[in-house]
Tab-separated table of all heavy atoms in Angstrom:
chain	number	residue	atom	x	y	z
A	46	LYS	N	-84.880	-39.953	61.948
A	46	LYS	CA	-84.808	-38.792	61.076
A	46	LYS	C	-85.325	-37.514	61.821
A	46	LYS	O	-84.790	-36.413	61.780
A	46	LYS	CB	-85.599	-38.948	59.826
A	46	LYS	CG	-84.874	-39.924	58.847
A	46	LYS	CD	-85.713	-40.058	57.545
A	46	LYS	CE	-84.995	-41.004	56.621
A	46	LYS	NZ	-85.771	-41.138	55.323
A	47	LEU	N	-86.390	-37.707	62.671
A	47	LEU	CA	-86.914	-36.673	63.484
A	47	LEU	C	-85.883	-36.190	64.501
A	47	LEU	O	-85.673	-34.965	64.722
A	47	LEU	CB	-88.218	-37.080	64.144
A	47	LEU	CG	-89.458	-37.266	63.270
A	47	LEU	CD1	-90.589	-37.935	64.078
A	47	LEU	CD2	-89.898	-35.944	62.760
A	48	THR	N	-85.173	-37.158	65.093
A	48	THR	CA	-84.151	-36.777	66.079
A	48	THR	C	-83.044	-36.030	65.436
A	48	THR	O	-82.581	-35.044	66.006
A	48	THR	CB	-83.588	-38.104	66.726
A	48	THR	OG1	-84.688	-38.749	67.349
A	48	THR	CG2	-82.516	-37.778	67.769
A	49	THR	N	-82.676	-36.399	64.213
A	49	THR	CA	-81.612	-35.713	63.461
A	49	THR	C	-82.018	-34.252	63.203
A	49	THR	O	-81.282	-33.303	63.352
A	49	THR	CB	-81.280	-36.367	62.222
A	49	THR	OG1	-80.814	-37.713	62.443
A	49	THR	CG2	-80.191	-35.647	61.366
A	50	VAL	N	-83.291	-34.048	62.712
A	50	VAL	CA	-83.725	-32.739	62.482
A	50	VAL	C	-83.728	-31.883	63.739
A	50	VAL	O	-83.275	-30.749	63.728
A	50	VAL	CB	-85.151	-32.740	61.874
A	50	VAL	CG1	-85.780	-31.361	61.815
A	50	VAL	CG2	-85.063	-33.388	60.481
A	51	ARG	N	-84.239	-32.421	64.814
A	51	ARG	CA	-84.242	-31.640	66.104
A	51	ARG	C	-82.830	-31.336	66.559
A	51	ARG	O	-82.561	-30.220	66.989
A	51	ARG	CB	-85.005	-32.456	67.207
A	51	ARG	CG	-85.116	-31.674	68.465
A	51	ARG	CD	-85.955	-32.434	69.508
A	51	ARG	NE	-85.287	-33.679	69.950
A	51	ARG	CZ	-85.848	-34.467	70.824
A	51	ARG	NH1	-86.993	-34.244	71.373
A	51	ARG	NH2	-85.232	-35.565	71.148
A	52	ASP	N	-81.945	-32.253	66.442
A	52	ASP	CA	-80.566	-32.018	66.788
A	52	ASP	C	-79.966	-30.916	65.951
A	52	ASP	O	-79.140	-30.037	66.495
A	52	ASP	CB	-79.673	-33.280	66.700
A	52	ASP	CG	-80.080	-34.382	67.742
A	52	ASP	OD1	-80.776	-33.965	68.721
A	52	ASP	OD2	-79.727	-35.525	67.524
A	53	GLU	N	-80.209	-30.946	64.678
A	53	GLU	CA	-79.651	-29.875	63.779
A	53	GLU	C	-80.205	-28.513	64.095
A	53	GLU	O	-79.536	-27.528	63.798
A	53	GLU	CB	-79.954	-30.322	62.309
A	53	GLU	CG	-79.216	-31.453	61.810
A	53	GLU	CD	-79.582	-31.940	60.425
A	53	GLU	OE1	-80.675	-31.467	59.924
A	53	GLU	OE2	-78.907	-32.801	59.851
A	54	LEU	N	-81.352	-28.465	64.650
A	54	LEU	CA	-81.973	-27.152	65.064
A	54	LEU	C	-81.237	-26.481	66.226
A	54	LEU	O	-81.343	-25.293	66.434
A	54	LEU	CB	-83.470	-27.274	65.366
A	54	LEU	CG	-84.348	-27.613	64.136
A	54	LEU	CD1	-85.767	-27.992	64.638
A	54	LEU	CD2	-84.400	-26.510	63.157
A	55	GLY	N	-80.556	-27.328	66.980
A	55	GLY	CA	-79.755	-26.803	68.101
A	55	GLY	C	-80.499	-26.833	69.469
A	55	GLY	O	-81.602	-27.294	69.580
A	56	PRO	N	-79.845	-26.227	70.528
A	56	PRO	CA	-80.330	-26.339	71.889
A	56	PRO	C	-81.700	-25.748	72.074
A	56	PRO	O	-82.459	-26.136	72.938
A	56	PRO	CB	-79.267	-25.508	72.663
A	56	PRO	CG	-78.011	-25.556	71.819
A	56	PRO	CD	-78.510	-25.568	70.377
A	57	ALA	N	-82.072	-24.709	71.273
A	57	ALA	CA	-83.372	-24.083	71.446
A	57	ALA	C	-84.504	-25.016	71.211
A	57	ALA	O	-85.658	-24.792	71.602
A	57	ALA	CB	-83.483	-22.846	70.536
A	58	ALA	N	-84.288	-26.094	70.430
A	58	ALA	CA	-85.300	-27.085	70.086
A	58	ALA	C	-85.199	-28.338	70.914
A	58	ALA	O	-85.966	-29.304	70.679
A	58	ALA	CB	-85.264	-27.444	68.588
A	59	ALA	N	-84.329	-28.368	71.915
A	59	ALA	CA	-84.000	-29.589	72.636
A	59	ALA	C	-85.300	-30.126	73.361
A	59	ALA	O	-85.439	-31.311	73.555
A	59	ALA	CB	-82.911	-29.341	73.604
A	60	ASN	N	-86.229	-29.221	73.737
A	60	ASN	CA	-87.391	-29.642	74.463
A	60	ASN	C	-88.593	-29.952	73.563
A	60	ASN	O	-89.680	-30.246	74.024
A	60	ASN	CB	-87.792	-28.581	75.550
A	60	ASN	CG	-86.791	-28.522	76.623
A	60	ASN	OD1	-86.197	-29.509	76.997
A	60	ASN	ND2	-86.581	-27.322	77.142
Side-chain angles (χ1 to χ4, degrees):
K46 290 182 179 179
L47 290 169
T48 301
T49 298
V50 171
R51 185 175 64 179
D52 290 347
E53 289 173 349
L54 291 171
N60 292 327

